[in-house]
Amino acid sequence: MSTILVTGATGNVGSRVVADLVAAGVRPRVLIRDTARPVNPWLDDDCVEVAFGDFDDVSSVDAAMSGTDRVFLTSADGPDKVAHESAVIAAAQRTGVERIVKLSAMHARIGSPLPAFDWHGRIELELADSGVPHVLLRPAFFLDNLLMVAPGVAATGHLAAPTAGARAAMIDVRDVAASAAGALMSNRDLRAGYSLTGPESVTFAEVADALGIATGRSVVFDDLTPEEAAPRFAGAGLPPWLAAQLSGAFGVIRDGGFDAVYDGVSELTGRPAHDISSWVHMHAPAFAEPATATTAARQT
Ligand SMILES: NC(=O)c1ccc[n+]([C@@H]2O[C@H](COP(=O)([O-])OP(=O)(O)OC[C@H]3O[C@@H](n4cnc5c(N)ncnc54)[C@H](OP(=O)(O)O)[C@@H]3O)[C@@H](O)[C@H]2O)c1
Protein backbone atom coordinates (compact mmCIF):
# COMPACT_ATOMS: atom_id res chain seq x y z
CA MET A 1 0.00 0.00 0.00
CA SER A 2 1.16 3.56 -0.76
CA THR A 3 2.48 5.76 2.03
CA ILE A 4 0.51 9.01 1.99
CA LEU A 5 1.93 12.14 3.64
CA VAL A 6 -0.57 14.84 4.64
CA THR A 7 0.84 18.34 5.07
CA GLY A 8 -1.24 21.02 6.80
CA ALA A 9 -2.62 18.09 8.79
CA THR A 10 -3.89 20.25 11.66
CA GLY A 11 -5.67 22.72 9.35
CA ASN A 12 -9.32 23.01 8.34
CA VAL A 13 -8.90 20.93 5.21
CA GLY A 14 -5.90 18.77 6.14
CA SER A 15 -7.42 17.50 9.40
CA ARG A 16 -10.48 16.34 7.47
CA VAL A 17 -8.30 14.71 4.81
CA VAL A 18 -6.61 12.74 7.60
CA ALA A 19 -9.98 11.70 9.03
CA ASP A 20 -11.26 10.63 5.60
CA LEU A 21 -8.13 8.57 4.89
CA VAL A 22 -8.36 6.88 8.29
CA ALA A 23 -12.06 6.15 7.73
CA ALA A 24 -11.07 4.46 4.46
CA GLY A 25 -8.58 2.21 6.25
CA VAL A 26 -5.41 4.14 5.38
CA ARG A 27 -2.82 5.03 8.04
CA PRO A 28 -1.47 8.35 6.74
CA ARG A 29 1.79 9.97 7.74
CA VAL A 30 1.08 13.50 9.00
CA LEU A 31 3.48 16.45 9.04
CA ILE A 32 2.97 18.31 12.33
CA ARG A 33 5.10 21.18 13.62
CA ASP A 34 3.69 21.47 17.12
CA THR A 35 4.52 18.42 19.21
CA ALA A 36 1.92 19.41 21.81
CA ARG A 37 -1.00 19.70 19.39
CA PRO A 38 -3.15 16.68 18.52
CA VAL A 39 -3.85 16.18 14.81
CA ASN A 40 -7.46 15.23 15.22
CA PRO A 41 -8.57 15.02 18.81
CA TRP A 42 -11.21 12.47 17.79
CA LEU A 43 -8.67 10.10 16.25
CA ASP A 44 -6.65 7.49 18.06
CA ASP A 45 -2.89 8.21 17.84
CA ASP A 46 -2.31 4.79 16.31
CA CYS A 47 -4.42 5.78 13.30
CA VAL A 48 -1.65 8.03 11.99
CA GLU A 49 2.13 8.07 11.76
CA VAL A 50 3.37 11.42 13.05
CA ALA A 51 6.35 13.12 11.38
CA PHE A 52 7.32 16.24 13.30
CA GLY A 53 8.58 18.95 11.00
CA ASP A 54 8.30 22.50 9.75
CA PHE A 55 8.19 23.80 6.18
CA ASP A 56 11.01 26.18 7.19
CA ASP A 57 13.27 23.25 8.16
CA VAL A 58 14.31 21.47 4.95
CA SER A 59 15.82 18.47 6.71
CA SER A 60 12.57 17.82 8.60
CA VAL A 61 10.58 17.96 5.35
CA ASP A 62 13.06 15.59 3.70
CA ALA A 63 12.76 13.18 6.64
CA ALA A 64 8.94 13.25 6.44
CA MET A 65 9.11 12.65 2.69
CA SER A 66 11.38 9.61 2.96
CA GLY A 67 9.47 6.53 1.76
CA THR A 68 6.42 8.63 0.87
CA ASP A 69 4.58 7.76 -2.36
CA ARG A 70 1.81 10.36 -2.38
CA VAL A 71 1.53 13.80 -0.78
CA PHE A 72 -1.36 16.10 0.08
CA LEU A 73 0.12 19.58 -0.31
CA THR A 74 -1.43 22.50 1.54
CA SER A 75 -0.24 25.26 3.85
CA ALA A 76 -1.52 28.38 5.55
CA ASP A 77 -2.22 31.37 3.30
CA GLY A 78 0.24 34.21 3.86
CA PRO A 79 3.43 35.73 2.51
CA ASP A 80 5.43 32.52 3.23
CA LYS A 81 3.05 30.26 1.32
CA VAL A 82 5.04 29.95 -1.91
CA ALA A 83 8.30 29.25 -0.04
CA HIS A 84 6.59 26.69 2.22
CA GLU A 85 4.96 24.69 -0.57
CA SER A 86 8.05 25.00 -2.80
CA ALA A 87 10.07 23.33 -0.03
CA VAL A 88 7.70 20.35 -0.11
CA ILE A 89 7.78 20.15 -3.91
CA ALA A 90 11.59 20.21 -3.92
CA ALA A 91 11.73 17.43 -1.32
CA ALA A 92 9.22 15.37 -3.33
CA GLN A 93 11.36 15.84 -6.44
CA ARG A 94 14.46 14.65 -4.57
CA THR A 95 12.77 11.53 -3.20
CA GLY A 96 10.78 10.53 -6.31
CA VAL A 97 7.21 10.97 -5.04
CA GLU A 98 4.67 9.47 -7.48
CA ARG A 99 1.79 11.93 -6.97
CA ILE A 100 1.25 15.29 -5.27
CA VAL A 101 -2.36 16.35 -4.72
CA LYS A 102 -2.16 20.13 -4.37
CA LEU A 103 -4.93 22.19 -2.80
CA SER A 104 -5.04 25.24 -5.05
CA ALA A 105 -7.93 27.60 -5.80
CA MET A 106 -10.29 28.35 -8.66
CA HIS A 107 -8.90 31.41 -10.53
CA ALA A 108 -5.33 30.73 -9.34
CA ARG A 109 -3.14 32.83 -11.61
CA ILE A 110 0.27 34.48 -11.36
CA GLY A 111 -0.32 38.21 -11.22
CA SER A 112 -3.86 37.97 -9.80
CA PRO A 113 -4.67 40.99 -7.60
CA LEU A 114 -5.99 38.49 -5.06
CA PRO A 115 -2.85 37.52 -3.10
CA ALA A 116 -3.76 33.86 -2.49
CA PHE A 117 -4.66 33.33 -6.15
CA ASP A 118 -1.27 34.73 -7.16
CA TRP A 119 0.53 32.49 -4.63
CA HIS A 120 -1.35 29.42 -5.87
CA GLY A 121 -0.52 30.35 -9.47
CA ARG A 122 3.19 30.47 -8.57
CA ILE A 123 3.05 27.12 -6.78
CA GLU A 124 1.19 25.53 -9.71
CA LEU A 125 3.99 26.71 -12.02
CA GLU A 126 6.60 25.35 -9.60
CA LEU A 127 4.83 21.98 -9.67
CA ALA A 128 4.66 21.96 -13.46
CA ASP A 129 8.39 22.72 -13.66
CA SER A 130 9.28 20.09 -11.05
CA GLY A 131 8.23 17.15 -13.20
CA VAL A 132 6.58 15.50 -10.16
CA PRO A 133 3.22 13.99 -11.26
CA HIS A 134 0.46 16.01 -9.66
CA VAL A 135 -3.24 16.71 -9.47
CA LEU A 136 -4.53 20.22 -8.85
CA LEU A 137 -7.68 20.72 -6.79
CA ARG A 138 -9.22 24.09 -7.53
CA PRO A 139 -12.13 24.77 -5.18
CA ALA A 140 -14.52 27.71 -5.39
CA PHE A 141 -15.31 29.99 -2.43
CA PHE A 142 -15.61 27.92 0.77
CA LEU A 143 -19.05 27.93 2.45
CA ASP A 144 -17.06 27.70 5.68
CA ASN A 145 -15.85 31.30 5.11
CA LEU A 146 -19.33 32.27 6.35
CA LEU A 147 -18.29 31.13 9.84
CA MET A 148 -16.19 34.32 10.05
CA VAL A 149 -19.39 36.37 10.19
CA ALA A 150 -21.42 33.89 12.25
CA PRO A 151 -21.11 35.86 15.53
CA GLY A 152 -22.43 38.99 13.78
CA VAL A 153 -25.34 37.08 12.24
CA ALA A 154 -26.10 35.52 15.62
CA ALA A 155 -26.11 38.92 17.31
CA THR A 156 -28.03 40.94 14.69
CA GLY A 157 -30.00 38.58 12.45
CA HIS A 158 -28.36 40.24 9.44
CA LEU A 159 -25.92 38.76 6.92
CA ALA A 160 -24.11 41.44 4.91
CA ALA A 161 -21.84 41.09 1.85
CA PRO A 162 -21.18 42.92 -1.44
CA THR A 163 -22.53 40.39 -3.96
CA ALA A 164 -24.74 42.44 -6.36
CA GLY A 165 -27.21 39.57 -6.25
CA ALA A 166 -24.77 37.19 -7.94
CA ARG A 167 -24.83 33.43 -7.51
CA ALA A 168 -21.92 31.31 -6.31
CA ALA A 169 -21.49 27.52 -6.24
CA MET A 170 -19.81 27.65 -2.83
CA ILE A 171 -18.27 24.44 -1.53
CA ASP A 172 -18.40 22.69 1.83
CA VAL A 173 -14.90 22.07 3.24
CA ARG A 174 -15.96 18.46 3.87
CA ASP A 175 -16.17 18.03 0.10
CA VAL A 176 -12.79 19.63 -0.53
CA ALA A 177 -11.22 17.19 1.93
CA ALA A 178 -13.11 14.16 0.61
CA SER A 179 -12.02 15.02 -2.95
CA ALA A 180 -8.41 15.26 -1.79
CA ALA A 181 -8.63 11.92 0.00
CA GLY A 182 -10.17 10.39 -3.15
CA ALA A 183 -7.37 11.75 -5.33
CA LEU A 184 -4.73 10.49 -2.89
CA MET A 185 -6.15 6.97 -2.75
CA SER A 186 -7.19 6.54 -6.38
CA ASN A 187 -5.28 4.11 -8.55
CA ARG A 188 -6.93 5.42 -11.71
CA ASP A 189 -5.25 7.87 -14.03
CA LEU A 190 -6.51 11.22 -12.81
CA ARG A 191 -6.89 14.44 -14.73
CA ALA A 192 -4.33 17.20 -14.21
CA GLY A 193 -6.88 19.34 -12.40
CA TYR A 194 -10.37 19.33 -10.92
CA SER A 195 -12.64 22.32 -10.31
CA LEU A 196 -14.52 21.72 -7.06
CA THR A 197 -17.86 23.37 -6.30
CA GLY A 198 -21.08 22.76 -4.46
CA PRO A 199 -23.94 21.07 -6.33
CA GLU A 200 -25.84 24.31 -6.92
CA SER A 201 -25.19 28.00 -7.41
CA VAL A 202 -26.94 30.12 -4.79
CA THR A 203 -27.39 33.78 -3.93
CA PHE A 204 -26.47 35.08 -0.49
CA ALA A 205 -30.16 35.94 -0.02
CA GLU A 206 -30.86 32.22 -0.41
CA VAL A 207 -28.07 31.45 2.08
CA ALA A 208 -29.70 33.88 4.56
CA ASP A 209 -33.08 32.16 4.04
CA ALA A 210 -31.48 28.75 4.62
CA LEU A 211 -29.80 30.05 7.80
CA GLY A 212 -33.18 31.40 8.94
CA ILE A 213 -34.81 27.99 8.47
CA ALA A 214 -31.95 26.17 10.22
CA THR A 215 -31.88 28.55 13.20
CA GLY A 216 -35.63 29.14 13.48
CA ARG A 217 -35.31 32.92 13.22
CA SER A 218 -35.35 35.55 10.49
CA VAL A 219 -31.96 36.20 8.85
CA VAL A 220 -32.00 39.23 6.55
CA PHE A 221 -29.45 39.63 3.77
CA ASP A 222 -28.02 43.14 3.26
CA ASP A 223 -26.43 43.30 -0.19
CA LEU A 224 -23.82 46.02 0.29
CA THR A 225 -22.24 48.07 -2.48
CA PRO A 226 -18.47 47.57 -2.82
CA GLU A 227 -18.07 51.12 -1.45
CA GLU A 228 -20.13 50.26 1.65
CA ALA A 229 -18.18 47.03 2.16
CA ALA A 230 -14.65 48.45 1.69
CA PRO A 231 -14.32 50.04 5.15
CA ARG A 232 -15.64 46.85 6.76
CA PHE A 233 -12.87 44.76 5.16
CA ALA A 234 -10.23 47.42 5.90
CA GLY A 235 -11.39 47.92 9.50
CA ALA A 236 -11.78 44.28 10.48
CA GLY A 237 -8.28 44.07 11.93
CA LEU A 238 -7.19 41.58 9.25
CA PRO A 239 -3.69 41.45 7.73
CA PRO A 240 -3.79 43.63 4.59
CA TRP A 241 -3.32 40.62 2.28
CA LEU A 242 -6.34 38.88 3.83
CA ALA A 243 -8.51 42.00 3.58
CA ALA A 244 -7.49 42.25 -0.10
CA GLN A 245 -8.21 38.54 -0.62
CA LEU A 246 -11.69 38.68 0.90
CA SER A 247 -12.64 41.92 -0.80
CA GLY A 248 -11.31 40.56 -4.11
CA ALA A 249 -13.19 37.29 -3.68
CA PHE A 250 -16.47 39.19 -3.49
CA GLY A 251 -15.46 41.01 -6.67
CA VAL A 252 -15.08 37.58 -8.32
CA ILE A 253 -18.51 36.59 -6.99
CA ARG A 254 -20.08 39.81 -8.36
CA ASP A 255 -18.52 39.10 -11.76
CA GLY A 256 -20.08 35.61 -11.79
CA GLY A 257 -16.69 33.93 -11.40
CA PHE A 258 -17.99 31.33 -8.95
CA ASP A 259 -21.36 30.79 -10.64
CA ALA A 260 -20.55 27.65 -12.66
CA VAL A 261 -21.17 24.22 -11.12
CA TYR A 262 -18.51 21.54 -11.73
CA ASP A 263 -18.63 17.81 -11.01
CA GLY A 264 -15.10 17.45 -9.60
CA VAL A 265 -16.37 16.38 -6.17
CA SER A 266 -18.52 13.53 -7.51
CA GLU A 267 -15.74 12.44 -9.90
CA LEU A 268 -13.25 12.11 -7.04
CA THR A 269 -15.57 10.89 -4.27
CA GLY A 270 -18.26 8.92 -6.13
CA ARG A 271 -21.02 10.87 -4.37
CA PRO A 272 -22.60 14.32 -4.82
CA ALA A 273 -21.28 17.40 -3.02
CA HIS A 274 -23.16 18.58 0.09
CA ASP A 275 -25.79 21.23 -0.59
CA ILE A 276 -26.36 24.50 1.26
CA SER A 277 -29.07 23.07 3.49
CA SER A 278 -26.73 20.31 4.71
CA TRP A 279 -24.05 22.92 5.51
CA VAL A 280 -26.35 25.33 7.35
CA HIS A 281 -27.89 22.55 9.43
CA MET A 282 -24.45 21.39 10.53
CA HIS A 283 -23.38 24.92 11.49
CA ALA A 284 -26.73 26.32 12.70
CA PRO A 285 -25.62 26.69 16.36
CA ALA A 286 -22.92 29.18 15.33
CA PHE A 287 -25.54 31.42 13.70
CA ALA A 288 -28.31 31.02 16.30
CA GLU A 289 -29.44 33.85 18.57
CA PRO A 290 -27.23 33.72 21.69
CA ALA A 291 -30.15 32.80 23.99
CA THR A 292 -31.16 29.96 21.64
CA ALA A 293 -27.59 28.71 21.39
CA THR A 294 -27.25 28.75 25.21
CA THR A 295 -30.53 26.91 25.65
CA ALA A 296 -29.51 24.33 23.02
CA ALA A 297 -26.12 23.87 24.74
CA ARG A 298 -27.86 23.33 28.12
CA GLN A 299 -30.15 20.70 26.60
CA THR A 300 -27.28 18.61 25.20
N1 LIG B 1 -11.31 29.96 1.88
C1 LIG B 1 -11.62 29.78 0.60
O1 LIG B 1 -12.67 30.22 0.13
C2 LIG B 1 -10.67 29.03 -0.28
C3 LIG B 1 -11.06 28.76 -1.59
C4 LIG B 1 -10.17 28.05 -2.42
C5 LIG B 1 -8.95 27.61 -1.94
N2 LIG B 1 -8.62 27.90 -0.65
C6 LIG B 1 -7.30 27.45 -0.16
O2 LIG B 1 -7.46 26.48 0.85
C7 LIG B 1 -6.30 26.53 1.70
C8 LIG B 1 -6.75 26.70 3.14
O3 LIG B 1 -6.61 25.50 3.78
P1 LIG B 1 -6.94 25.41 5.33
O4 LIG B 1 -8.16 26.23 5.63
O5 LIG B 1 -6.94 23.99 5.68
O6 LIG B 1 -5.68 26.15 5.99
P2 LIG B 1 -5.34 26.29 7.52
O7 LIG B 1 -6.48 25.82 8.37
O8 LIG B 1 -4.80 27.67 7.71
O9 LIG B 1 -4.16 25.22 7.74
C9 LIG B 1 -2.82 25.52 7.48
C10 LIG B 1 -1.98 24.31 7.88
O10 LIG B 1 -0.61 24.58 7.53
C11 LIG B 1 0.19 24.28 8.68
N3 LIG B 1 1.39 25.11 8.71
C12 LIG B 1 1.47 26.47 8.72
N4 LIG B 1 2.76 26.85 8.77
C13 LIG B 1 3.51 25.71 8.80
C14 LIG B 1 4.90 25.45 8.86
N5 LIG B 1 5.80 26.45 8.88
N6 LIG B 1 5.33 24.17 8.83
C15 LIG B 1 4.43 23.13 8.80
N7 LIG B 1 3.08 23.32 8.76
C16 LIG B 1 2.63 24.60 8.76
C17 LIG B 1 -0.70 24.62 9.85
O11 LIG B 1 -0.16 24.03 11.03
P3 LIG B 1 -0.42 24.66 12.50
O12 LIG B 1 -1.71 24.06 12.97
O13 LIG B 1 0.75 24.20 13.27
O14 LIG B 1 -0.50 26.14 12.36
C18 LIG B 1 -2.01 24.01 9.39
O15 LIG B 1 -2.01 22.62 9.58
C19 LIG B 1 -5.48 27.72 1.28
O16 LIG B 1 -4.42 27.33 0.43
C20 LIG B 1 -6.50 28.55 0.51
O17 LIG B 1 -5.90 29.42 -0.43
C21 LIG B 1 -9.45 28.57 0.19
mmCIF file of all heavy atoms in Angstrom, residues 8 22-23 33 40 48-49 57 69 75 102 119-121 177 203 218-219 232 249 268 279 287 300:
data_model
loop_
_atom_site.group_PDB
_atom_site.id
_atom_site.type_symbol
_atom_site.label_atom_id
_atom_site.label_comp_id
_atom_site.label_asym_id
_atom_site.label_seq_id
_atom_site.Cartn_x
_atom_site.Cartn_y
_atom_site.Cartn_z
ATOM 1 N N GLY A 8 -0.116 20.218 6.304
ATOM 2 C CA GLY A 8 -1.240 21.019 6.804
ATOM 3 C C GLY A 8 -2.241 20.168 7.570
ATOM 4 O O GLY A 8 -3.438 20.453 7.592
ATOM 5 N N VAL A 22 -8.264 7.876 7.206
ATOM 6 C CA VAL A 22 -8.357 6.885 8.286
ATOM 7 C C VAL A 22 -9.667 6.102 8.166
ATOM 8 O O VAL A 22 -9.688 4.880 8.300
ATOM 9 C CB VAL A 22 -8.234 7.585 9.660
ATOM 10 C CG1 VAL A 22 -8.591 6.629 10.791
ATOM 11 C CG2 VAL A 22 -6.810 8.118 9.850
ATOM 12 N N ALA A 23 -10.753 6.823 7.863
ATOM 13 C CA ALA A 23 -12.061 6.150 7.727
ATOM 14 C C ALA A 23 -12.037 5.137 6.588
ATOM 15 O O ALA A 23 -12.777 4.146 6.615
ATOM 16 C CB ALA A 23 -13.156 7.183 7.500
ATOM 17 N N ARG A 33 3.950 20.407 13.109
ATOM 18 C CA ARG A 33 5.102 21.176 13.622
ATOM 19 C C ARG A 33 5.034 21.385 15.122
ATOM 20 O O ARG A 33 6.026 21.747 15.747
ATOM 21 C CB ARG A 33 5.208 22.515 12.911
ATOM 22 C CG ARG A 33 4.021 23.421 13.110
ATOM 23 C CD ARG A 33 4.274 24.762 12.464
ATOM 24 N NE ARG A 33 3.050 25.531 12.378
ATOM 25 C CZ ARG A 33 3.032 26.822 12.191
ATOM 26 N NH1 ARG A 33 4.160 27.490 12.048
ATOM 27 N NH2 ARG A 33 1.878 27.468 12.120
ATOM 28 N N ASN A 40 -6.010 15.320 15.224
ATOM 29 C CA ASN A 40 -7.460 15.233 15.219
ATOM 30 C C ASN A 40 -7.819 14.688 16.583
ATOM 31 O O ASN A 40 -7.623 13.515 16.845
ATOM 32 C CB ASN A 40 -7.934 14.209 14.171
ATOM 33 C CG ASN A 40 -8.185 14.840 12.831
ATOM 34 O OD1 ASN A 40 -8.541 15.992 12.750
ATOM 35 N ND2 ASN A 40 -8.011 14.060 11.796
ATOM 36 N N VAL A 48 -2.538 7.258 12.854
ATOM 37 C CA VAL A 48 -1.652 8.034 11.987
ATOM 38 C C VAL A 48 -0.200 7.801 12.388
ATOM 39 O O VAL A 48 0.089 7.391 13.515
ATOM 40 C CB VAL A 48 -1.947 9.560 12.074
ATOM 41 C CG1 VAL A 48 -3.338 9.876 11.579
ATOM 42 C CG2 VAL A 48 -1.738 10.087 13.484
ATOM 43 N N GLU A 49 0.691 8.076 11.460
ATOM 44 C CA GLU A 49 2.128 8.070 11.758
ATOM 45 C C GLU A 49 2.560 9.533 11.791
ATOM 46 O O GLU A 49 2.408 10.239 10.790
ATOM 47 C CB GLU A 49 2.877 7.324 10.645
ATOM 48 C CG GLU A 49 4.379 7.300 10.828
ATOM 49 C CD GLU A 49 5.111 6.835 9.568
ATOM 50 O OE1 GLU A 49 4.437 6.363 8.634
ATOM 51 O OE2 GLU A 49 6.337 6.999 9.521
ATOM 52 N N ASP A 57 12.118 24.103 7.806
ATOM 53 C CA ASP A 57 13.267 23.250 8.164
ATOM 54 C C ASP A 57 13.363 22.142 7.106
ATOM 55 O O ASP A 57 12.675 21.126 7.179
ATOM 56 C CB ASP A 57 13.032 22.689 9.574
ATOM 57 C CG ASP A 57 14.072 21.652 9.984
ATOM 58 O OD1 ASP A 57 14.990 21.359 9.177
ATOM 59 O OD2 ASP A 57 13.948 21.121 11.107
ATOM 60 N N ASP A 69 4.963 7.921 -0.950
ATOM 61 C CA ASP A 69 4.579 7.757 -2.359
ATOM 62 C C ASP A 69 3.700 8.906 -2.839
ATOM 63 O O ASP A 69 3.807 9.355 -3.978
ATOM 64 C CB ASP A 69 3.805 6.443 -2.543
ATOM 65 C CG ASP A 69 4.611 5.253 -2.052
ATOM 66 O OD1 ASP A 69 5.649 4.977 -2.664
ATOM 67 O OD2 ASP A 69 4.212 4.630 -1.046
ATOM 68 N N SER A 75 -0.933 24.474 2.824
ATOM 69 C CA SER A 75 -0.237 25.258 3.850
ATOM 70 C C SER A 75 -1.141 26.427 4.193
ATOM 71 O O SER A 75 -2.161 26.639 3.544
ATOM 72 C CB SER A 75 1.099 25.775 3.293
ATOM 73 O OG SER A 75 0.843 26.689 2.237
ATOM 74 N N LYS A 102 -2.349 18.755 -4.882
ATOM 75 C CA LYS A 102 -2.156 20.125 -4.365
ATOM 76 C C LYS A 102 -3.495 20.843 -4.211
ATOM 77 O O LYS A 102 -4.272 20.931 -5.162
ATOM 78 C CB LYS A 102 -1.248 20.893 -5.340
ATOM 79 C CG LYS A 102 -1.561 22.378 -5.420
ATOM 80 C CD LYS A 102 -0.554 23.278 -4.789
ATOM 81 C CE LYS A 102 -0.975 24.759 -4.867
ATOM 82 N NZ LYS A 102 -1.304 25.314 -3.552
ATOM 83 N N TRP A 119 -0.374 33.485 -5.250
ATOM 84 C CA TRP A 119 0.529 32.491 -4.627
ATOM 85 C C TRP A 119 0.254 31.106 -5.208
ATOM 86 O O TRP A 119 1.187 30.364 -5.534
ATOM 87 C CB TRP A 119 0.329 32.475 -3.105
ATOM 88 C CG TRP A 119 0.693 33.763 -2.425
ATOM 89 C CD1 TRP A 119 1.703 34.619 -2.798
ATOM 90 C CD2 TRP A 119 0.066 34.357 -1.289
ATOM 91 N NE1 TRP A 119 1.731 35.703 -1.948
ATOM 92 C CE2 TRP A 119 0.751 35.572 -1.009
ATOM 93 C CE3 TRP A 119 -0.997 33.994 -0.464
ATOM 94 C CZ2 TRP A 119 0.389 36.413 0.048
ATOM 95 C CZ3 TRP A 119 -1.354 34.829 0.593
ATOM 96 C CH2 TRP A 119 -0.666 36.017 0.837
ATOM 97 N N HIS A 120 -1.033 30.748 -5.314
ATOM 98 C CA HIS A 120 -1.350 29.416 -5.868
ATOM 99 C C HIS A 120 -0.859 29.304 -7.315
ATOM 100 O O HIS A 120 -0.369 28.239 -7.728
ATOM 101 C CB HIS A 120 -2.854 29.154 -5.802
ATOM 102 C CG HIS A 120 -3.344 28.743 -4.439
ATOM 103 N ND1 HIS A 120 -2.869 27.635 -3.781
ATOM 104 C CD2 HIS A 120 -4.268 29.294 -3.614
ATOM 105 C CE1 HIS A 120 -3.480 27.518 -2.601
ATOM 106 N NE2 HIS A 120 -4.327 28.520 -2.478
ATOM 107 N N GLY A 121 -0.994 30.384 -8.079
ATOM 108 C CA GLY A 121 -0.516 30.349 -9.465
ATOM 109 C C GLY A 121 0.983 30.066 -9.517
ATOM 110 O O GLY A 121 1.458 29.280 -10.348
ATOM 111 N N ALA A 177 -12.066 18.223 1.300
ATOM 112 C CA ALA A 177 -11.222 17.188 1.930
ATOM 113 C C ALA A 177 -11.500 15.814 1.340
ATOM 114 O O ALA A 177 -10.560 15.052 1.052
ATOM 115 C CB ALA A 177 -11.477 17.182 3.438
ATOM 116 N N THR A 203 -27.622 32.399 -4.321
ATOM 117 C CA THR A 203 -27.386 33.784 -3.926
ATOM 118 C C THR A 203 -27.194 33.834 -2.408
ATOM 119 O O THR A 203 -27.600 32.905 -1.685
ATOM 120 C CB THR A 203 -28.590 34.675 -4.286
ATOM 121 O OG1 THR A 203 -29.724 34.223 -3.536
ATOM 122 C CG2 THR A 203 -28.881 34.642 -5.782
ATOM 123 N N SER A 218 -35.516 34.860 11.773
ATOM 124 C CA SER A 218 -35.355 35.546 10.491
ATOM 125 C C SER A 218 -33.893 35.985 10.324
ATOM 126 O O SER A 218 -33.306 36.544 11.248
ATOM 127 C CB SER A 218 -36.291 36.754 10.494
ATOM 128 O OG SER A 218 -35.822 37.721 9.615
ATOM 129 N N VAL A 219 -33.299 35.663 9.181
ATOM 130 C CA VAL A 219 -31.964 36.197 8.853
ATOM 131 C C VAL A 219 -32.125 37.009 7.573
ATOM 132 O O VAL A 219 -32.546 36.492 6.543
ATOM 133 C CB VAL A 219 -30.917 35.083 8.663
ATOM 134 C CG1 VAL A 219 -29.567 35.683 8.245
ATOM 135 C CG2 VAL A 219 -30.743 34.266 9.940
ATOM 136 N N ARG A 232 -15.466 48.012 5.868
ATOM 137 C CA ARG A 232 -15.640 46.851 6.761
ATOM 138 C C ARG A 232 -14.463 45.892 6.618
ATOM 139 O O ARG A 232 -13.953 45.359 7.601
ATOM 140 C CB ARG A 232 -16.934 46.102 6.438
ATOM 141 C CG ARG A 232 -18.173 46.960 6.661
ATOM 142 C CD ARG A 232 -19.411 46.096 6.635
ATOM 143 N NE ARG A 232 -20.613 46.913 6.737
ATOM 144 C CZ ARG A 232 -21.781 46.457 7.144
ATOM 145 N NH1 ARG A 232 -21.924 45.183 7.470
ATOM 146 N NH2 ARG A 232 -22.825 47.256 7.211
ATOM 147 N N ALA A 249 -12.356 38.476 -3.447
ATOM 148 C CA ALA A 249 -13.185 37.287 -3.679
ATOM 149 C C ALA A 249 -14.638 37.696 -3.932
ATOM 150 O O ALA A 249 -15.326 37.095 -4.771
ATOM 151 C CB ALA A 249 -13.093 36.336 -2.487
ATOM 152 N N LEU A 268 -14.319 12.589 -7.934
ATOM 153 C CA LEU A 268 -13.253 12.114 -7.040
ATOM 154 C C LEU A 268 -13.773 11.330 -5.843
ATOM 155 O O LEU A 268 -13.029 10.549 -5.242
ATOM 156 C CB LEU A 268 -12.400 13.294 -6.561
ATOM 157 C CG LEU A 268 -11.530 13.935 -7.650
ATOM 158 C CD1 LEU A 268 -10.917 15.245 -7.176
ATOM 159 C CD2 LEU A 268 -10.422 12.967 -8.087
ATOM 160 N N TRP A 279 -25.077 22.108 4.828
ATOM 161 C CA TRP A 279 -24.048 22.917 5.511
ATOM 162 C C TRP A 279 -24.672 23.763 6.620
ATOM 163 O O TRP A 279 -24.164 23.803 7.739
ATOM 164 C CB TRP A 279 -23.312 23.814 4.502
ATOM 165 C CG TRP A 279 -22.118 24.495 5.112
ATOM 166 C CD1 TRP A 279 -20.844 24.017 5.182
ATOM 167 C CD2 TRP A 279 -22.107 25.763 5.795
ATOM 168 N NE1 TRP A 279 -20.039 24.911 5.846
ATOM 169 C CE2 TRP A 279 -20.780 25.986 6.236
ATOM 170 C CE3 TRP A 279 -23.078 26.722 6.072
ATOM 171 C CZ2 TRP A 279 -20.408 27.131 6.936
ATOM 172 C CZ3 TRP A 279 -22.705 27.861 6.782
ATOM 173 C CH2 TRP A 279 -21.386 28.060 7.201
ATOM 174 N N PHE A 287 -24.792 30.272 14.211
ATOM 175 C CA PHE A 287 -25.545 31.421 13.703
ATOM 176 C C PHE A 287 -26.801 31.717 14.525
ATOM 177 O O PHE A 287 -27.527 32.658 14.235
ATOM 178 C CB PHE A 287 -25.971 31.157 12.244
ATOM 179 C CG PHE A 287 -24.827 31.065 11.278
ATOM 180 C CD1 PHE A 287 -24.222 29.844 11.004
ATOM 181 C CD2 PHE A 287 -24.337 32.207 10.635
ATOM 182 C CE1 PHE A 287 -23.157 29.746 10.108
ATOM 183 C CE2 PHE A 287 -23.277 32.114 9.744
ATOM 184 C CZ PHE A 287 -22.682 30.892 9.478
ATOM 185 N N THR A 300 -28.059 19.729 25.711
ATOM 186 C CA THR A 300 -27.277 18.606 25.202
ATOM 187 C C THR A 300 -26.358 18.049 26.301
ATOM 188 O O THR A 300 -26.192 18.628 27.339
ATOM 189 C CB THR A 300 -26.392 19.033 24.005
ATOM 190 O OG1 THR A 300 -25.634 20.155 24.389
ATOM 191 C CG2 THR A 300 -27.237 19.338 22.815
#
